[in-house]
Amino acid sequence: KAGVTQTPRYLIKTRGQQVTLSCSPISGHRSVSWYQQTPGQGLQFLFEYFSETQRNKGNFPGRFSGRQFSNSRSEMNVSTLELGDSALYLCASSRDRDGANVLTFGAGSRLTVL
Amino acid sequence: GDSVTQMEGPVTLSEEAFLTINCTYTATGYPSLFWYVQYPGEGLQLLLKATKADDKGSNKGFEATYRKETTSFHLEKGSVQVSDSAVYFCALSRSGSARQLTFGSGTQLTVLP
C-alpha cells in the first residue's frame, strides 16, 4: 500500500515569506503528526491532528500552524519565515487515536530559508 | 519533562562486528520505547518497539530490551552489515500520547566493508 506522501520534497524560500507543506497519510490512518528535524535541535514534535482536531501541540511559536481535512490529509504552514526555520519537516501517520500504535513517517519536506 | 539520551556518535564498525547503541530515558509512568532508523535522504523507519518492562523488541537481527530498573533500551546487533549504515534514533511515547514521540539526538553508524 502507498506510504505517507509529503509534498513538496524540497523548497527554497526567503525570510519573511510563508510556506505550506502537505501530507497525505496512509489510507485508513486518521492521525497525522508533524516533526521538525534540524542538526542543532534534533527531532522535535510540532503538532498532531486526529479527525480534523489538533490534539497536541509542541513548543513552537504561533507562526507554525496546521490543519487536517476530512480525508485525513494535513497541511502545515509557517508564516514570516526565519533562517532558523530551515529544516526537514516530517509528517507521520498512525491508525488509531490511542495505544502504542506505530507512526509511519514520510520522506519529509526539506525547507531552506535564505 | 520526558527526555531520551543516546550515546554520542559517530560510530564506525567493521562488517560483522557487534553493535551496541546505548539509550536511557526519563519519563513518568510507563512509556513505550522505540528505535527508528533513518537512511540518507529518507524519513524515519520503525526498527523495533517495546511497550512494557522486560519486553524485547527485535527486527532484522536488531534487538533491544525494555529495562525499567535502569531506564534503558539499548540497541544491539550481533553482526552488522554495510547496509546497516544509517542514523539510529531512540524514542519514547507516553501512554495515551502514542503519536507524540520524544527522540534522542540520534547516533550515526557507519559500517566499513
Side-chain angles (χ1 to χ4, degrees):
Chain A
K1 58 181 179 182
V4 178
T5 303
Q6 292 189 244
T7 57
R9 287 293 311 276
Y10 303 90
L11 65 166
I12 300 173
K13 295 285 187 178
T14 56
R15 279 181 299 176
Q17 287 187 312
Q18 74 167 16
V19 66
T20 299
L21 308 177
S22 179
C23 173
S24 293
I26 290 173
S27 178
H29 285 195
R30 298 169 64 189
S31 171
V32 174
S33 306
W34 289 88
Y35 289 80
Q36 181 196 62
Q37 185 177 22
T38 60
Q41 299 299 316
L43 280 153
Q44 295 184 287
F45 172 77
L46 279 157
F47 26 65
E48 185 248 343
Y49 288 87
F50 180 83
S51 293
E52 302 178 65
T53 301
Q54 187 181 89
R55 298 296 307 172
N56 288 300
K57 181 172 169 60
N59 187 26
F60 279 82
R63 301 184 296 107
F64 291 80
S65 63
R67 60 178 175 169
Q68 186 181 34
F69 302 95
S70 58
N71 61 359
S72 294
R73 190 177 71 85
S74 177
E75 290 181 346
M76 66 164 284
N77 183 277
V78 187
S79 61
T80 319
L81 284 166
E82 301 177 358
L83 296 180
D85 297 333
S86 295
L88 181 66
Y89 290 89
L90 293 166
C91 167
S93 73
S94 65
R95 183 181 300 277
D96 293 321
R97 177 176 171 176
D98 290 313
N101 289 287
V102 171
L103 296 188
T104 302
F105 284 82
S109 293
R110 183 166 296 282
L111 170 65
T112 301
V113 181
L114 302 176
Chain B
D2 298 343
S3 68
V4 177
T5 302
Q6 275 182 246
M7 98 188 233
E8 298 218 1
V11 174
T12 303
L13 296 173
S14 298
E15 203 165 26
E16 299 184 2
F18 184 84
L19 168 70
T20 299
I21 301 178
N22 289 337
C23 170
T24 58
Y25 68 90
T26 300
T28 55
Y30 298 89
S32 295
L33 301 173
F34 306 83
W35 276 100
Y36 278 85
V37 58
Q38 186 174 34
Y39 297 99
E42 299 184 14
L44 300 170
Q45 299 175 25
L46 177 71
L47 185 57
L48 51 84
K49 68 174 183 178
T51 58
K52 61 182 186 297
D54 299 325
D55 265 4
K56 177 184 280 188
S58 62
N59 185 28
K60 299 180 181 180
F62 291 89
E63 293 183 339
T65 301
Y66 189 142
R67 301 288 187 199
K68 181 121 181 97
E69 63 277 12
T70 54
T71 62
S72 65
F73 193 55
H74 304 321
L75 181 68
E76 296 182 336
K77 187 176 185 183
S79 177
V80 294
Q81 306 300 312
V82 172
S83 57
D84 294 327
S85 297
V87 181
Y88 293 81
F89 292 92
C90 185
L92 68 82
S93 72
R94 283 204 198 174
S95 174
S97 300
R99 290 84 49 220
Q100 182 171 347
L101 294 172
T102 299
F103 285 92
S105 57
T107 301
Q108 171 77 57
L109 170 66
T110 301
V111 181
L112 303 176

